[in-house]
Amino acid sequence: GGSHSASSASEANAPSGHRPVHRSESARTAAVEAEPEADVDIVENTGRWTMEEHNMFLDGLKVHGKGWKQIAQMIKTRTVVQIRTHAQKYFQKLSKAQQNGNHTEVTM
């Protein structure tokens, strides 16, 4: 008898390696259409004062005292009204801080 070696070629079913999914990098550049008046570099700010503005305000206080108009000319992004309001809040915080014995720089 001839030994019939039936070597069944077992197909190596290797699990297909997890390929990194290449997300189609469609970085959606939102086409913001430039408005005609976008060239005006002075934009009035509303809401929170930035550190920059607050520092200018402090400088203005040193130089002009309560001359809000002069300070407004320094801080192009704020109106006289906004500066006056900011000053009132600032002075309130200052006096509170002094009552609490905090002689540290008051930040807005």
Side-chain angles (χ1 to χ4, degrees):
S3 54
H4 204 78
S5 59
S7 56
S8 57
S10 58
E11 286 151 42
N13 276 345
S16 55
H18 292 295
R19 293 194 197 96
V21 181
H22 284 292
R23 293 197 186 92
S24 55
E25 284 166 36
S26 57
R28 276 173 213 148
T29 45
V32 179
E33 293 196 17
E35 276 141 44
E37 63 269 31
D39 56 326
V40 181
D41 54 68
I42 295 166
V43 179
E44 250 173 50
N45 253 333
T46 53
R48 278 192 71 85
W49 279 55
T50 63
M51 275 307 295
E52 212 178 328
E53 287 172 329
H54 185 63
N55 288 336
M56 283 200 285
F57 162 79
L58 292 179
D59 286 344
L61 270 186
K62 280 177 207 149
V63 180
H64 302 295
K66 294 188 179 181
W68 309 132
K69 269 204 191 105
Q70 289 96 313
I71 297 175
Q73 278 157 11
M74 290 170 62
I75 311 174
K76 300 275 200 297
T77 52
R78 295 287 175 178
T79 64
V80 178
V81 175
Q82 285 175 319
I83 289 163
R84 197 186 298 129
T85 308
H86 184 68
Q88 282 167 351
K89 288 179 190 167
Y90 174 68
F91 291 136
Q92 279 169 5
K93 279 196 176 184
L94 263 189
S95 59
K96 266 193 199 129
Q98 279 162 2
Q99 285 163 18
N100 301 339
N102 293 339
H103 293 290
T104 53
E105 188 82 2
V106 173
T107 56
M108 293 307 278

